[in-house]
Amino acid sequence: MRLSRYFLPILRETPKEAEIVSHRLMLRAGMIRQQSAGIYSWLPLGQRVLASIGRIVREEQDRAGAIEILMPTIQSAELWRESGRYEDYGLEMLRIEDRHEREMLYGPTNEEMVTEIFRSYVRSYRELPLNLYHIQWKFRDEVRPRFGVMRGREFLMKDAYSFDLDQEGARASYNRMFVAYLRTFDRLGLKAIPMRAESGPIGGDMSHEFIILADTGESQVFSSRRLLDMAVPGEDTDFSADLSPIVDAWTTPYAATEEKHDPAAFERLPESERVSARGIEVGHIFYFGTKYSEPMGAKVAGPDGQMRTVHMGSYGIGVSRLVAAVIEASHDDAGIIWPRNITPFHVGLVNLKPGDKNTDLACETLYARLAKAGVEVLYDDVEARAGAKFATMDLIGLPHQLIVGPKGLERDEVEIKNRRDGSRQNLSPDAAVNWLVAEWR
RNA sequence: CGGGGCGUAGCGCAGUCUGGUAGCGCACCUGCUUUGGGAGCAGGGGGUCGCAAGUUCGAAUCUUGCCGCCCCGACCA
């Protein structure tokens, strides 16, 4: 992509409403535009990151056996009356009336709707386990939206819903999502720690929040250091096998948010193993048994021919929130530092002197060769001063900058700068292409 | 929803107290010079001063009402 043809509205100054670093950087890097309190447009750079995160979430959901669907944003109030939540949900639910004065709502979540789908079609335990998910915009009319997309009113969320014959089956479904989450956050370049969470009316131990550590996190968390160094289950994980050993390993070391914190237990950890930090919740999984299937009549025939109410769980990942969470966890004074799997472009190609024949030719050649090799390049071909170009590249945080100017070219050299550690290497243009292609293949 | 604050050009702000017909920096456009870490000079474009009513010869400025946005708290993916 040529910068001269792209839409990247960089702000040099920080809009005053932005309080936390991710919000500031997202506005400055031209990723989002606020349209109303807690409601944002996603501009090209932001949209690319959002799409990348969605892709990784999808791949890991699919790998774990969940099946993608797409449910609407607007729902009928009737469904929610069945579960009793239409009255319970309160002012956070955005209620709408259509032209026929039918009561509608902008969905804050989809348990009722997915249960309606399930009960309409599934009759037998033989069709279980079933896990349906979608990635869709949700709306919760927060009293006070803040921190940009970290806590907006409209947000993109992956929510999965599992259906099993009994609690034992539900536990296996829960474990599959647990492992999928470990893998998802790892691929996003994040250290996510599963922490025991409030489990609602059902009780038990099947509710975890996945928390990433970031200085600007919203809540205080306490954890064993061991969880930070634990190996994440690999791509070859067999999701049809019993995953409880993995889940057990990840839930044994101490980890709790402030609400569930047990200071005494935490103190028993060796001093060097205690981590007390700020955290951001990026995922939440829980089992809720028959809370919706019972009132809504989601039943299947068991092996004995008797009808049984299915056991359900739901599993959320805040996709749009993750964009901000990643930035909170990965930035410096100059700007964003994208993890390689979700970066909007792989390489920023900087032409230091557009209009100079040699420099233009060298850049065009590099751009074409990298594109041909499948490396995604944002080519800064606009006329601006070197300093401004460097500042922009650092701000938008692409992992590698390929810097090309007349001085270097005289020595047949271009420069590759690593955004994360600031290291630089001077290479011939050929060697630079080879190096970047090897890096991004 | 309680408490606090802010709406003046795309962004950051001054002007409001004490009414006189709108300004600064950045960004944008033109030209010249400059050119490896946010250049300089000169010229230029852009604003129903959040909206509405009122007071006044005259309102960004005073009065009233409304709307929007932000921060702290309670609440939450």
Side-chain angles (χ1 to χ4, degrees):
Chain A
M1 177 60 66
R2 283 169 203 276
L3 189 57
S4 61
R5 295 275 132 227
Y6 203 45
F7 181 58
L8 186 70
I10 296 288
L11 301 181
R12 192 163 158 176
E13 284 168 284
T14 304
K16 64 177 172 181
E17 73 266 20
E19 197 67 14
I20 61 168
V21 65
S22 61
H23 191 193
R24 286 203 296 265
L25 290 173
M26 288 180 77
L27 289 169
R28 288 198 52 215
M31 296 177 67
I32 53 171
R33 163 95 187 153
Q34 180 169 326
Q35 302 292 169
S36 184
I39 300 178
Y40 294 85
S41 289
W42 291 77
L43 306 181
L45 200 72
Q47 159 61 16
R48 284 181 80 103
V49 176
L50 197 59
S52 296
I53 293 177
R55 194 194 72 244
I56 289 173
V57 167
R58 222 171 239 121
E59 285 172 9
E60 295 303 327
Q61 290 293 292
D62 293 348
R63 189 196 307 282
I67 302 165
E68 187 171 12
I69 60 176
L70 184 58
M71 290 178 274
T73 54
I74 307 290
Q75 307 185 26
S76 159
E78 259 178 70
L79 263 183
W80 287 65
R81 290 219 166 83
E82 282 194 50
S83 70
R85 279 210 290 183
Y86 192 67
E87 283 71 30
D88 294 349
Y89 216 92
L91 293 171
E92 280 201 358
M93 179 143 76
L94 180 64
R95 294 153 208 261
I96 313 172
E97 199 172 80
D98 72 9
R99 67 195 299 165
H100 302 294
E101 296 179 358
R102 280 187 288 247
E103 292 174 277
M104 313 293 284
L105 57 100
Y106 195 124
T109 177
N110 288 68
E111 279 84 5
E112 284 80 359
M113 188 169 277
V114 76
T115 303
E116 192 281 332
I117 292 171
F118 178 91
R119 75 179 176 193
S120 301
Y121 300 109
V122 182
R123 299 272 98 97
S124 160
Y125 78 97
R126 290 171 183 274
E127 295 176 67
L128 304 184
L130 181 64
N131 183 326
L132 299 175
Y133 79 96
H134 74 338
I135 298 179
Q136 177 63 290
W137 293 93
K138 306 278 189 293
F139 195 94
R140 289 182 196 167
D141 199 0
E142 296 282 346
V143 197
R144 177 144 102 89
R146 61 181 124 176
F147 304 148
V149 298
M150 185 74 84
R151 184 156 168 214
R153 292 194 292 171
E154 189 183 51
F155 54 97
L156 189 62
M157 181 175 175
K158 183 286 298 182
D159 41 327
Y161 304 90
S162 66
F163 302 88
D164 286 275
L165 189 61
D166 50 29
Q167 185 167 352
E168 192 187 337
R171 178 174 290 276
S173 290
Y174 184 89
N175 289 348
R176 282 191 289 275
M177 285 293 109
F178 189 105
V179 172
Y181 276 37
L182 291 176
R183 285 192 45 74
T184 302
F185 296 124
D186 183 59
R187 286 186 63 193
L188 296 175
L190 297 170
K191 291 268 183 205
I193 303 175
M195 300 193 179
R196 183 77 59 87
E198 292 297 337
S199 44
I202 304 298
D205 59 352
M206 288 208 284
S207 177
H208 287 88
E209 288 180 4
F210 285 73
I211 305 273
I212 66 164
L213 304 185
D215 293 340
T216 45
E218 57 204 329
S219 51
Q220 188 67 31
V221 298
F222 304 88
S223 164
S224 160
R225 190 170 300 284
R226 284 194 288 154
L227 284 163
L228 290 172
D229 304 323
M230 209 124 84
V232 166
E235 219 173 275
D236 55 353
T237 302
D238 180 2
F239 279 88
S240 61
D242 177 14
L243 297 174
S244 55
I246 299 176
V247 174
D248 289 347
W250 278 86
T251 51
T252 302
Y254 187 84
T257 59
E258 209 162 17
E259 303 84 61
K260 303 280 280 186
H261 185 45
D262 174 358
F266 188 60
E267 293 300 317
R268 282 198 289 276
L269 293 177
E271 179 95 42
S272 61
E273 209 186 297
R274 291 179 213 155
V275 177
S276 167
R278 305 296 294 178
I280 300 169
E281 181 183 351
V282 289
H284 194 173
I285 62 178
F286 57 99
Y287 162 74
F288 49 73
T290 59
K291 181 176 177 189
Y292 301 98
S293 49
E294 177 69 48
M296 295 186 66
K299 296 176 178 146
V300 297
D304 54 4
Q306 298 298 305
M307 296 305 283
R308 297 193 205 164
T309 301
V310 294
H311 286 243
M312 297 174 58
S314 77
Y315 315 90
I317 290 181
V319 177
S320 50
R321 161 179 273 202
L322 270 167
V323 178
V326 166
I327 294 171
E328 290 294 332
S330 182
H331 68 271
D332 62 16
D333 289 344
I336 301 167
I337 303 173
W338 290 116
R340 56 178 297 137
N341 282 352
I342 59 170
T343 184
F345 295 94
H346 300 152
V347 175
L349 171 59
V350 180
N351 183 336
L352 286 175
K353 193 161 187 177
D356 176 80
K357 219 172 149 190
N358 274 337
T359 313
D360 286 349
L361 180 63
C363 286
E364 291 293 339
T365 308
L366 288 164
Y367 182 50
R369 289 183 61 189
L370 288 168
K372 196 173 174 190
V375 179
E376 293 174 7
V377 180
L378 181 63
Y379 172 25
D380 178 356
D381 58 341
V382 302
E383 279 197 52
R385 306 194 46 105
K389 285 171 177 261
F390 294 141
T392 296
M393 277 299 168
D394 286 350
L395 173 63
I396 67 174
L398 308 182
H400 294 117
Q401 295 169 16
L402 177 54
I403 300 162
V404 182
K407 289 184 188 169
L409 288 174
E410 277 173 25
R411 302 186 306 271
D412 194 36
E413 277 181 356
V414 295
E415 181 179 301
I416 294 175
K417 175 181 163 184
N418 181 306
R419 175 66 180 88
R420 189 169 289 278
D421 61 19
S423 64
R424 299 155 186 277
Q425 46 180 329
N426 287 300
L427 299 170
S428 72
D430 272 350
V433 169
N434 291 338
W435 191 88
L436 287 169
V437 169
E439 190 73 16
W440 289 101
R441 185 166 10 226

